[in-house]
PDB file of all heavy atoms in Angstrom:
ATOM      1  N   GLY A 295      24.689-108.636   6.158  1.00  0.00           N
ATOM      2  CA  GLY A 295      25.278-108.703   7.455  1.00  0.00           C
ATOM      3  C   GLY A 295      25.480-107.339   8.064  1.00  0.00           C
ATOM      4  O   GLY A 295      25.780-107.202   9.243  1.00  0.00           O
ATOM      5  N   GLY A 296      25.283-106.251   7.288  1.00  0.00           N
ATOM      6  CA  GLY A 296      25.447-104.891   7.813  1.00  0.00           C
ATOM      7  C   GLY A 296      26.869-104.561   8.137  1.00  0.00           C
ATOM      8  O   GLY A 296      27.731-105.317   7.855  1.00  0.00           O
ATOM      9  N   GLY A 297      27.052-103.396   8.782  1.00  0.00           N
ATOM     10  CA  GLY A 297      28.381-103.025   9.234  1.00  0.00           C
ATOM     11  C   GLY A 297      29.112-102.427   8.077  1.00  0.00           C
ATOM     12  O   GLY A 297      28.680-102.359   6.942  1.00  0.00           O
ATOM     13  N   THR A 298      30.330-101.940   8.387  1.00  0.00           N
ATOM     14  CA  THR A 298      31.191-101.325   7.327  1.00  0.00           C
ATOM     15  C   THR A 298      32.550-101.928   7.379  1.00  0.00           C
ATOM     16  O   THR A 298      33.055-102.420   8.430  1.00  0.00           O
ATOM     17  CB  THR A 298      31.311 -99.792   7.568  1.00  0.00           C
ATOM     18  OG1 THR A 298      31.853 -99.576   8.840  1.00  0.00           O
ATOM     19  CG2 THR A 298      29.912 -99.088   7.420  1.00  0.00           C
ATOM     20  N   VAL A 299      33.253-101.917   6.246  1.00  0.00           N
ATOM     21  CA  VAL A 299      34.581-102.431   6.149  1.00  0.00           C
ATOM     22  C   VAL A 299      35.440-101.314   5.551  1.00  0.00           C
ATOM     23  O   VAL A 299      35.114-100.708   4.534  1.00  0.00           O
ATOM     24  CB  VAL A 299      34.677-103.664   5.297  1.00  0.00           C
ATOM     25  CG1 VAL A 299      36.099-104.118   5.148  1.00  0.00           C
ATOM     26  CG2 VAL A 299      33.799-104.776   5.880  1.00  0.00           C
ATOM     27  N   SER A 300      36.621-101.013   6.126  1.00  0.00           N
ATOM     28  CA  SER A 300      37.472 -99.969   5.679  1.00  0.00           C
ATOM     29  C   SER A 300      38.472-100.529   4.659  1.00  0.00           C
ATOM     30  O   SER A 300      39.137-101.569   4.989  1.00  0.00           O
ATOM     31  CB  SER A 300      38.237 -99.282   6.806  1.00  0.00           C
ATOM     32  OG  SER A 300      37.258 -98.588   7.602  1.00  0.00           O
ATOM     33  N   HIS A 301      38.547 -99.992   3.529  1.00  0.00           N
ATOM     34  CA  HIS A 301      39.509-100.380   2.542  1.00  0.00           C
ATOM     35  C   HIS A 301      40.488 -99.232   2.255  1.00  0.00           C
ATOM     36  O   HIS A 301      40.052 -98.112   2.092  1.00  0.00           O
ATOM     37  CB  HIS A 301      38.845-100.855   1.248  1.00  0.00           C
ATOM     38  CG  HIS A 301      37.988-102.044   1.362  1.00  0.00           C
ATOM     39  ND1 HIS A 301      38.513-103.323   1.239  1.00  0.00           N
ATOM     40  CD2 HIS A 301      36.679-102.251   1.628  1.00  0.00           C
ATOM     41  CE1 HIS A 301      37.599-104.227   1.424  1.00  0.00           C
ATOM     42  NE2 HIS A 301      36.406-103.575   1.630  1.00  0.00           N
ATOM     43  N   PRO A 302      41.764 -99.512   2.146  1.00  0.00           N
ATOM     44  CA  PRO A 302      42.722 -98.443   1.863  1.00  0.00           C
ATOM     45  C   PRO A 302      42.545 -97.957   0.424  1.00  0.00           C
ATOM     46  O   PRO A 302      42.260 -98.753  -0.499  1.00  0.00           O
ATOM     47  CB  PRO A 302      44.112 -99.136   2.015  1.00  0.00           C
ATOM     48  CG  PRO A 302      43.857-100.630   1.743  1.00  0.00           C
ATOM     49  CD  PRO A 302      42.417-100.874   2.230  1.00  0.00           C
ATOM     50  N   ILE A 303      42.644 -96.668   0.263  1.00  0.00           N
ATOM     51  CA  ILE A 303      42.613 -96.021  -1.071  1.00  0.00           C
ATOM     52  C   ILE A 303      44.090 -95.855  -1.481  1.00  0.00           C
ATOM     53  O   ILE A 303      44.876 -95.265  -0.811  1.00  0.00           O
ATOM     54  CB  ILE A 303      41.918 -94.654  -1.064  1.00  0.00           C
ATOM     55  CG1 ILE A 303      40.501 -94.841  -0.654  1.00  0.00           C
ATOM     56  CG2 ILE A 303      42.024 -94.016  -2.400  1.00  0.00           C
ATOM     57  CD1 ILE A 303      39.665 -93.585  -0.560  1.00  0.00           C
ATOM     58  N   PRO A 304      44.428 -96.402  -2.691  1.00  0.00           N
ATOM     59  CA  PRO A 304      45.812 -96.250  -3.155  1.00  0.00           C
ATOM     60  C   PRO A 304      46.184 -94.791  -3.516  1.00  0.00           C
ATOM     61  O   PRO A 304      45.325 -94.000  -3.883  1.00  0.00           O
ATOM     62  CB  PRO A 304      45.914 -97.072  -4.364  1.00  0.00           C
ATOM     63  CG  PRO A 304      44.464 -97.113  -4.911  1.00  0.00           C
ATOM     64  CD  PRO A 304      43.582 -97.063  -3.693  1.00  0.00           C
ATOM     65  N   ALA A 305      47.429 -94.478  -3.370  1.00  0.00           N
ATOM     66  CA  ALA A 305      47.906 -93.154  -3.757  1.00  0.00           C
ATOM     67  C   ALA A 305      48.708 -93.239  -5.035  1.00  0.00           C
ATOM     68  O   ALA A 305      49.457 -94.229  -5.239  1.00  0.00           O
ATOM     69  CB  ALA A 305      48.734 -92.548  -2.630  1.00  0.00           C
ATOM     70  N   ARG A 306      48.538 -92.308  -5.983  1.00  0.00           N
ATOM     71  CA  ARG A 306      49.216 -92.328  -7.216  1.00  0.00           C
ATOM     72  C   ARG A 306      50.614 -91.773  -7.017  1.00  0.00           C
ATOM     73  O   ARG A 306      50.828 -90.741  -6.483  1.00  0.00           O
ATOM     74  CB  ARG A 306      48.464 -91.505  -8.229  1.00  0.00           C
ATOM     75  CG  ARG A 306      49.070 -91.448  -9.595  1.00  0.00           C
ATOM     76  CD  ARG A 306      48.205 -90.699 -10.513  1.00  0.00           C
ATOM     77  NE  ARG A 306      48.839 -90.501 -11.889  1.00  0.00           N
ATOM     78  CZ  ARG A 306      48.265 -89.807 -12.833  1.00  0.00           C
ATOM     79  NH1 ARG A 306      47.163 -89.218 -12.640  1.00  0.00           N
ATOM     80  NH2 ARG A 306      48.900 -89.753 -13.974  1.00  0.00           N
ATOM     81  N   LEU A 307      51.643 -92.492  -7.526  1.00  0.00           N
ATOM     82  CA  LEU A 307      53.066 -92.044  -7.429  1.00  0.00           C
ATOM     83  C   LEU A 307      53.384 -91.339  -8.721  1.00  0.00           C
ATOM     84  O   LEU A 307      53.936 -91.948  -9.727  1.00  0.00           O
ATOM     85  CB  LEU A 307      53.945 -93.268  -7.202  1.00  0.00           C
ATOM     86  CG  LEU A 307      53.792 -94.002  -5.860  1.00  0.00           C
ATOM     87  CD1 LEU A 307      54.745 -95.145  -5.774  1.00  0.00           C
ATOM     88  CD2 LEU A 307      53.993 -93.059  -4.655  1.00  0.00           C
ATOM     89  N   SER A 308      53.166 -90.075  -8.797  1.00  0.00           N
ATOM     90  CA  SER A 308      53.387 -89.269 -10.004  1.00  0.00           C
ATOM     91  C   SER A 308      54.889 -89.256 -10.399  1.00  0.00           C
ATOM     92  O   SER A 308      55.188 -89.352 -11.632  1.00  0.00           O
ATOM     93  CB  SER A 308      52.879 -87.843  -9.876  1.00  0.00           C
ATOM     94  OG  SER A 308      51.484 -87.855  -9.645  1.00  0.00           O
ATOM     95  N   TYR A 309      55.778 -89.172  -9.420  1.00  0.00           N
ATOM     96  CA  TYR A 309      57.201 -89.079  -9.748  1.00  0.00           C
ATOM     97  C   TYR A 309      57.619 -90.395 -10.394  1.00  0.00           C
ATOM     98  O   TYR A 309      58.505 -90.405 -11.273  1.00  0.00           O
ATOM     99  CB  TYR A 309      57.995 -88.786  -8.462  1.00  0.00           C
ATOM    100  CG  TYR A 309      58.283 -90.080  -7.660  1.00  0.00           C
ATOM    101  CD1 TYR A 309      59.501 -90.753  -7.860  1.00  0.00           C
ATOM    102  CD2 TYR A 309      57.418 -90.588  -6.742  1.00  0.00           C
ATOM    103  CE1 TYR A 309      59.837 -91.858  -7.124  1.00  0.00           C
ATOM    104  CE2 TYR A 309      57.689 -91.701  -5.966  1.00  0.00           C
ATOM    105  CZ  TYR A 309      58.914 -92.314  -6.167  1.00  0.00           C
ATOM    106  OH  TYR A 309      59.219 -93.493  -5.446  1.00  0.00           O
ATOM    107  N   ALA A 310      57.030 -91.522  -9.978  1.00  0.00           N
ATOM    108  CA  ALA A 310      57.384 -92.841 -10.563  1.00  0.00           C
ATOM    109  C   ALA A 310      56.841 -92.905 -11.990  1.00  0.00           C
ATOM    110  O   ALA A 310      57.574 -93.458 -12.850  1.00  0.00           O
ATOM    111  CB  ALA A 310      56.761 -93.958  -9.731  1.00  0.00           C
ATOM    112  N   GLU A 311      55.656 -92.458 -12.240  1.00  0.00           N
ATOM    113  CA  GLU A 311      55.113 -92.463 -13.564  1.00  0.00           C
ATOM    114  C   GLU A 311      55.943 -91.552 -14.561  1.00  0.00           C
ATOM    115  O   GLU A 311      56.197 -91.900 -15.663  1.00  0.00           O
ATOM    116  CB  GLU A 311      53.661 -91.970 -13.575  1.00  0.00           C
ATOM    117  CG  GLU A 311      52.807 -93.002 -12.793  1.00  0.00           C
ATOM    118  CD  GLU A 311      51.298 -92.502 -12.728  1.00  0.00           C
ATOM    119  OE1 GLU A 311      51.056 -91.359 -13.212  1.00  0.00           O
ATOM    120  OE2 GLU A 311      50.452 -93.293 -12.244  1.00  0.00           O
ATOM    121  N   ASP A 312      56.432 -90.432 -14.029  1.00  0.00           N
ATOM    122  CA  ASP A 312      57.255 -89.565 -14.837  1.00  0.00           C
ATOM    123  C   ASP A 312      58.600 -90.281 -15.189  1.00  0.00           C
ATOM    124  O   ASP A 312      59.110 -90.182 -16.347  1.00  0.00           O
ATOM    125  CB  ASP A 312      57.533 -88.250 -14.110  1.00  0.00           C
ATOM    126  CG  ASP A 312      56.315 -87.417 -13.993  1.00  0.00           C
ATOM    127  OD1 ASP A 312      55.374 -87.560 -14.755  1.00  0.00           O
ATOM    128  OD2 ASP A 312      56.281 -86.509 -13.090  1.00  0.00           O
ATOM    129  N   ALA A 313      59.128 -90.942 -14.208  1.00  0.00           N
ATOM    130  CA  ALA A 313      60.430 -91.663 -14.447  1.00  0.00           C
ATOM    131  C   ALA A 313      60.217 -92.758 -15.482  1.00  0.00           C
ATOM    132  O   ALA A 313      61.089 -92.916 -16.400  1.00  0.00           O
ATOM    133  CB  ALA A 313      60.922 -92.319 -13.116  1.00  0.00           C
ATOM    134  N   LEU A 314      59.139 -93.543 -15.445  1.00  0.00           N
ATOM    135  CA  LEU A 314      58.892 -94.584 -16.405  1.00  0.00           C
ATOM    136  C   LEU A 314      58.629 -94.059 -17.778  1.00  0.00           C
ATOM    137  O   LEU A 314      58.847 -94.751 -18.768  1.00  0.00           O
ATOM    138  CB  LEU A 314      57.723 -95.444 -15.903  1.00  0.00           C
ATOM    139  CG  LEU A 314      57.991 -96.330 -14.652  1.00  0.00           C
ATOM    140  CD1 LEU A 314      56.730 -96.791 -14.051  1.00  0.00           C
ATOM    141  CD2 LEU A 314      58.846 -97.546 -15.083  1.00  0.00           C
ATOM    142  N   ARG A 315      58.161 -92.791 -17.834  1.00  0.00           N
ATOM    143  CA  ARG A 315      57.779 -92.203 -19.136  1.00  0.00           C
ATOM    144  C   ARG A 315      59.011 -91.802 -19.881  1.00  0.00           C
ATOM    145  O   ARG A 315      59.021 -91.629 -21.123  1.00  0.00           O
ATOM    146  CB  ARG A 315      56.883 -91.069 -18.922  1.00  0.00           C
ATOM    147  CG  ARG A 315      56.117 -90.539 -20.123  1.00  0.00           C
ATOM    148  CD  ARG A 315      55.003 -89.544 -19.758  1.00  0.00           C
ATOM    149  NE  ARG A 315      53.867 -90.185 -19.171  1.00  0.00           N
ATOM    150  CZ  ARG A 315      53.530 -90.063 -17.873  1.00  0.00           C
ATOM    151  NH1 ARG A 315      54.253 -89.294 -17.115  1.00  0.00           N
ATOM    152  NH2 ARG A 315      52.453 -90.704 -17.453  1.00  0.00           N
ATOM    153  N   THR A 316      60.159 -91.482 -19.159  1.00  0.00           N
ATOM    154  CA  THR A 316      61.312 -90.892 -19.779  1.00  0.00           C
ATOM    155  C   THR A 316      62.586 -91.784 -19.684  1.00  0.00           C
ATOM    156  O   THR A 316      63.564 -91.455 -20.368  1.00  0.00           O
ATOM    157  CB  THR A 316      61.600 -89.556 -19.119  1.00  0.00           C
ATOM    158  OG1 THR A 316      61.794 -89.721 -17.702  1.00  0.00           O
ATOM    159  CG2 THR A 316      60.487 -88.553 -19.326  1.00  0.00           C
ATOM    160  N   MET A 317      62.615 -92.792 -18.862  1.00  0.00           N
ATOM    161  CA  MET A 317      63.734 -93.615 -18.645  1.00  0.00           C
ATOM    162  C   MET A 317      63.464 -95.036 -19.003  1.00  0.00           C
ATOM    163  O   MET A 317      62.345 -95.511 -19.098  1.00  0.00           O
ATOM    164  CB  MET A 317      64.231 -93.617 -17.134  1.00  0.00           C
ATOM    165  CG  MET A 317      64.522 -92.218 -16.587  1.00  0.00           C
ATOM    166  SD  MET A 317      64.967 -92.473 -14.847  1.00  0.00           S
ATOM    167  CE  MET A 317      65.154 -90.661 -14.366  1.00  0.00           C
ATOM    168  N   SER A 318      64.561 -95.826 -19.252  1.00  0.00           N
ATOM    169  CA  SER A 318      64.392 -97.261 -19.450  1.00  0.00           C
ATOM    170  C   SER A 318      63.855 -97.848 -18.171  1.00  0.00           C
ATOM    171  O   SER A 318      64.024 -97.272 -17.064  1.00  0.00           O
ATOM    172  CB  SER A 318      65.747 -97.911 -19.842  1.00  0.00           C
ATOM    173  OG  SER A 318      66.597 -97.914 -18.743  1.00  0.00           O
TER     174      SER A 318
END
Side-chain angles (χ1 to χ4, degrees):
T298 59
V299 177
S300 294
H301 292 276
I303 296 178
R306 182 178 174 183
L307 295 179
S308 298
Y309 85 93
E311 294 178 354
D312 291 340
L314 288 162
R315 196 171 287 111
T316 57
M317 303 179 185
S318 70

